[in-house]
Structure formats: structure tokens, C-alpha cells
Amino acid sequence: MKLIIQIPCLNEADQIAETLVTIPRDFDGVDVTEIMIVDDGSTDDTVAVALAAGAHHVHSNPTNLGLARTYVIGLEQALLRGADLIVNMDADNQYPARFIQPLIDPILAGRAELTVGARPIDRIAHFSPLKRRLQRFGSWVVRRASGLNVPDAPSGFRAVSRSAAMRLYTFSSYSYTIETLIQAGRINIPIASVPIETNPPTRPSRLMRSMLNYILKSMATILRIGMLYYPFRVFFWTAIVVATPGILAILRFVLLYLSGDGEGRLQSLVLGSALFATGAVLMIGGVLADLIAANRMLLQDLRARALEEKLAREARK
């Protein structure tokens, strides 16, 4: 059993050494442990510092691709290096390395293929009340969209099996946390949550430049996830919301016309017809989007099979 601990990095020269020195090299049920830095276009000495601090592998993106894309690239690179089990953790030492063993235990025991470290949201001092609500909202979205009860869906401290890593992919460039959980729920990957603690922050969050920026990007990500994974549901209810006032406006005109008071009421008919037509177009768009989503699921399955064949060829070399 080979464990690779992947750490996405962007200009983390000041924190990465402290993070690496805390990571154990021996875990129960694991024969080999290696650390891989996934450098997302750093312009400082992150790579050199990481190698000096004991990193075994480094993969550098040609440019800054964003956290979500870097996470998926890290999974692929870990698989190519023979990982049977992958742990993802932040470079800023937010997640104590002593929780890696509890995080991988459910996978080693066969109870899960993906585990998520659940932070004590209510007890994290540097989380503002608004951020706590946003964290809970993200978890609520995952529960509604996937049927999974994950207390801390936005947590990036997670472990994934070789099989699950080959099937996960993200379309968002902002964050992978919520999307991969919804995807895992849709393709029936067993998931478990593991209670963890956190270390005090060593630097400001890179994802949250400001609270407004975080809220807007999170809302855009959640909306896009909904349209990607539940397109017909999203378009159907949008069509209902748009078409219903249109139907009411048309009925108003008809009733007024039948009562002899329809003269001069053409505005209701025109507005109602426009809203009803827009709703019909949205409904048709939902059907087409649902067909495209089915095709995307097929392409994801083909990607997983192609990656599996690539890994088999690499193993035979």
C-alpha cells in the first residue's frame, strides 16, 4: 500500500517547510509514504524549500491554473507515481498532520473510498459568524444535491482511494471541495467524515480575498454545479418561475376580454405571451442540457477508463 500526500502550493515558501516537517512518514496499513508538491505557478522558492524539507516529488503547472484544476492534476500525478491512497492537505499547515491516520483508516478498512476531515466550525476562533454560515450553507448544498451527510463539505483535508481518484474530476477552476462531493454522491463513491482539529492560521486565505469576493465566487460555483449536475431541475424550475406570471397575465386578459373590458388591455397579453414563450424556451433548454449532461457523464467514464489503461501501461514499463 503506497500513500502519497499531495500538497497544492502557490508561493508557500514561508510555510511549506513547517508543514512538511510535521508529516509522519509511517502509518498503520501503509508500506510506503511519499510527499508530492503540486506547484501552481509559484514565483518564489516554494519548490526549492519543499525539496530541502523532504518532499519526494514535485509537479509544476506551466502557469497558475487555480486550486480546483491543481487538485485534479495532483490526483493524476499521484496515480502515475503508483499511489494506492492519496491524502490532500493545505500547504499552510492549517490541518494537523496527526489526523492523517484517522483520515485514511476508513479507506484502509474498506468502509469508504473518500474521506473528509470535518473541522469544528463553531469552535474555530478566526472564522467570522458569516463565514461559519457560509460553511454550513456549502454543506447544506452538498446534502441537497448528493444525498450525502457531510458536516464540513468545504474542507480540503481529505483522503481518496486509487479507484475513486480515477473517477473524480472538476469543471470549476475556483474550488474542488463541493463539486467533487456532489460528483462522488452521483456516482456512488462511499464517503465518510472524520472529526479533526485545526491549527491557527499562518497567513490570510488565498481563496477569500474579501468576504464579498468569497460569497460571489461561491454562489457562482454552486450555480454552475447545479447546472452541470442537475440541469433539467434547474431549468425546469426557472421556466416555471418565468412562465407562471405570463400565464396569469394571459388569463387576466382573457377574463377581461370575456367580460367586455378587454379593450386597451393588450399590454397584459403581450407581456404574458413573452414570459410564457421565455419559459417554454427555458424548458426546451433544460431538456437539451440534460442530454448534454448525460453525454458528459459518459465522457467522464471514458476518461476514467483511459486513465486506468494509461496507469496499467506505466506499471508494465
Side-chain angles (χ1 to χ4, degrees):
M1 174 67 67
K2 183 175 183 179
L3 165 65
I4 290 185
I5 301 169
Q6 72 167 37
I7 306 177
C9 292
L10 174 61
N11 296 331
E12 299 285 4
D14 294 335
Q15 289 85 27
I16 190 63
E18 181 181 355
T19 300
L20 294 185
V21 76
T22 65
I23 298 176
R25 300 302 192 267
D26 296 313
F27 297 95
D28 295 340
V30 174
D31 300 310
V32 178
T33 300
E34 295 177 352
I35 299 172
M36 180 179 67
I37 301 300
V38 189
D39 174 39
D40 190 25
S42 296
T43 56
D44 64 1
D45 294 328
T46 294
V47 171
V49 173
L51 290 172
H56 298 85
H57 309 288
V58 171
H59 173 81
S60 294
N61 294 337
T63 185
N64 180 258
L65 301 178
L67 180 59
R69 182 63 184 142
T70 299
Y71 172 77
V72 173
I73 289 173
L75 293 183
E76 294 178 355
Q77 291 298 317
L79 291 171
L80 289 171
R81 288 166 170 80
D84 300 298
L85 183 59
I86 305 166
V87 167
N88 183 82
M89 62 187 300
D90 289 355
D92 61 357
N93 202 29
Q94 176 187 170
Y95 304 110
R98 67 179 184 274
F99 289 102
I100 293 177
Q101 185 70 61
L103 196 68
I104 65 176
D105 281 342
I107 298 177
L108 294 174
R111 300 195 305 270
E113 289 188 55
L114 172 64
T115 58
V116 181
R119 298 164 292 181
I121 301 298
D122 292 331
R123 292 189 284 110
I124 299 179
H126 64 276
F127 274 19
S128 67
L130 179 56
K131 187 171 182 179
R132 292 191 180 105
R133 293 189 184 96
L134 290 172
Q135 299 287 331
R136 296 192 193 99
F137 178 67
S139 300
W140 178 83
V141 168
V142 170
R143 285 195 298 272
R144 294 288 297 175
S146 67
L148 301 170
N149 186 17
V150 181
D152 187 12
S155 171
F157 189 40
R158 48 184 66 189
V160 59
S161 70
R162 180 183 180 89
S163 173
M166 286 191 289
R167 290 180 283 165
L168 292 176
Y169 191 80
T170 63
F171 295 89
S172 168
S173 61
Y174 180 59
S175 178
Y176 60 88
T177 53
I178 292 177
E179 182 177 352
T180 50
L181 288 176
I182 293 174
Q183 188 180 118
R186 282 180 62 88
I187 59 180
N188 298 316
I189 293 177
I191 298 176
S193 289
V194 177
I196 64 168
E197 300 291 333
T198 58
N199 291 321
T202 57
R203 59 161 174 76
S205 171
R206 297 278 175 77
L207 280 182
M208 192 173 68
R209 297 178 182 176
S210 68
M211 187 58 70
L212 178 61
N213 175 267
Y214 180 74
I215 291 172
L216 292 176
K217 285 193 173 182
S218 296
M219 289 177 61
T221 298
I222 290 171
L223 178 61
R224 188 180 184 193
I225 288 171
M227 295 180 69
L228 277 171
Y229 294 99
Y230 301 93
F232 184 76
R233 187 185 304 179
V234 171
F235 278 92
F236 173 81
W237 287 110
T238 304
I240 293 297
V241 170
V242 172
T244 299
I247 294 172
L248 294 176
I250 293 172
L251 288 175
R252 177 178 181 272
F253 172 80
V254 171
L255 291 174
L256 290 173
Y257 182 81
L258 293 177
S259 66
D261 192 27
E263 186 176 353
R265 307 287 184 171
L266 285 176
Q267 300 94 327
S268 295
L269 180 61
V270 172
L271 177 62
S273 299
L275 290 174
F276 181 78
T278 302
V281 170
L282 286 170
M283 188 70 73
I284 294 171
V287 173
L288 295 176
D290 195 56
L291 294 173
I292 293 171
N295 186 61
R296 179 183 52 75
M297 294 293 290
L298 176 61
L299 291 175
Q300 280 187 250
D301 185 58
L302 292 174
R303 171 188 173 273
R305 291 174 182 269
L307 182 57
E308 187 175 7
E309 291 178 2
K310 181 179 180 179
L311 295 175
R313 289 195 301 270
E314 292 292 329
R316 288 194 294 268
K317 289 183 180 179

